[in-house]
Amino acid sequence: MAATILLVEDEAGLISYLDSELHFEGYTVLTAQDGQAAWDIWQANQQTIDLILLDWMIPKLDGLEVMRRVRKTSTVPIMMMTARDYVGDKVAGLDNGADDYLTKPFEIEELLARIRVLIRRWRPAAPTDYQVGDLTLDTKARQVRRAGQLAQLTQREYDLLLALMQHPGEALSRDQLLDAVWGTEFDGQANIVDVYVRYLRQKLARPGAPDLIQTVRGVGYMLEETGAHA
């Protein structure tokens, strides 16, 4: 499920840029350009907001006041964004409940990486067991079984299968799988995904059983019980 971010920033150009980048990364974004609007949006949507990106110097209520109010009832991750880079300001922000502090200007890649870390910490722990059809994956034991039979997978094969099993019935692009398994810095060939999908299919094949990893034309791959998208 996509995370929801409350973006609080009074600079129209920056809020437009960040809103676009966050949407591109798959986040749902709520925006506010002053502290009072941010507080109103939080009160109406606090059950669905996974993170707050909060500028310090905003009209009506400043970022510190918004954070103090939120912290009275919630531990939702809050990242302060501000041009104030004095150590005392950073300490004040962290002491009043900020989980992270990013000084402007910043690189979008750093912001996105920090967001991912904060949301991972905030969200409930992922399940340790996954199942699609007769295929099971136990993350604690790091074991994969098909129809009860243990499949011996390499680390890459295991990571690729885990990425697919975390999104059953969802078509994942090759780029998404590359990022999840090989990392965003991988500069090899995208067809490495196709190669490892072939390895997985061979190791998970069982006589008379359907292929659970389906090719979705023009997109990538999907893990599901039927072969409707093959």
Side-chain angles (χ1 to χ4, degrees):
M1 184 176 66
T4 298
I5 294 175
L6 172 55
L7 171 59
V8 187
E9 167 63 52
D10 64 334
E11 185 182 334
L14 182 56
I15 202 168
S16 176
Y17 170 68
L18 293 177
D19 183 42
S20 176
E21 291 291 329
L22 292 169
H23 272 110
F24 182 78
E25 293 295 321
Y27 296 110
T28 298
V29 183
L30 306 174
T31 62
Q33 291 187 270
D34 65 67
Q36 186 60 56
W39 176 240
D40 292 342
I41 292 172
W42 165 255
Q43 289 183 299
N45 300 275
Q46 57 184 288
Q47 299 303 317
T48 60
I49 292 173
D50 296 287
L51 181 138
I52 301 175
L53 286 179
L54 183 59
D55 186 32
W56 187 311
M57 302 299 290
I58 49 177
K60 298 186 179 179
L61 299 173
D62 67 21
L64 210 57
E65 177 59 26
V66 173
M67 183 163 59
R68 288 184 183 125
R69 293 187 180 191
V70 170
R71 280 290 174 257
K72 289 180 179 179
T73 58
S74 175
T75 58
V76 66
I78 298 176
M79 184 187 302
M80 297 292 290
M81 303 183 302
T82 177
R84 301 165 67 109
D85 60 355
Y86 299 111
V87 172
D89 289 336
K90 293 182 181 180
V91 171
L94 294 169
D95 281 349
N96 280 278
D99 296 278
D100 203 353
Y101 193 110
L102 195 57
T103 303
K104 300 175 184 177
F106 50 78
E107 296 294 332
I108 188 65
E109 290 80 8
E110 181 181 2
L111 174 65
L112 293 172
R114 293 189 183 202
I115 287 173
R116 289 192 292 269
V117 169
L118 290 176
I119 290 177
R120 277 200 304 269
R121 292 174 181 170
W122 162 251
R123 284 188 158 182
T128 59
D129 296 299
Y130 296 89
Q131 181 168 0
V132 175
D134 61 355
L135 178 65
T136 61
L137 185 151
D138 181 345
T139 59
K140 285 187 176 179
R142 298 188 70 80
Q143 289 185 343
V144 174
R145 295 179 183 274
R146 178 85 194 268
Q149 297 183 38
L150 187 65
Q152 299 292 342
L153 304 183
T154 67
Q155 184 63 52
R156 292 291 193 197
E157 292 164 352
Y158 174 90
D159 290 344
L160 178 58
L161 181 62
L162 176 59
L164 289 166
M165 293 196 76
Q166 287 174 329
H167 303 276
E170 179 180 341
L172 299 179
S173 70
R174 288 171 176 82
D175 285 342
Q176 287 176 300
L177 293 170
L178 275 174
D179 288 349
V181 179
W182 284 267
T184 57
E185 302 302 316
F186 179 75
D187 59 1
Q189 298 296 315
N191 68 355
I192 191 71
V193 174
D194 303 321
V195 172
Y196 274 82
V197 165
R198 186 167 68 249
Y199 293 160
L200 273 178
R201 283 171 166 162
Q202 292 170 351
K203 291 187 176 183
L204 298 176
R206 294 292 181 268
D211 184 358
L212 297 178
I213 303 176
Q214 306 301 326
T215 300
V216 182
R217 293 185 180 90
V219 181
Y221 296 98
M222 175 191 296
L223 193 69
E224 63 175 2
E225 293 187 56
T226 66
H229 292 269

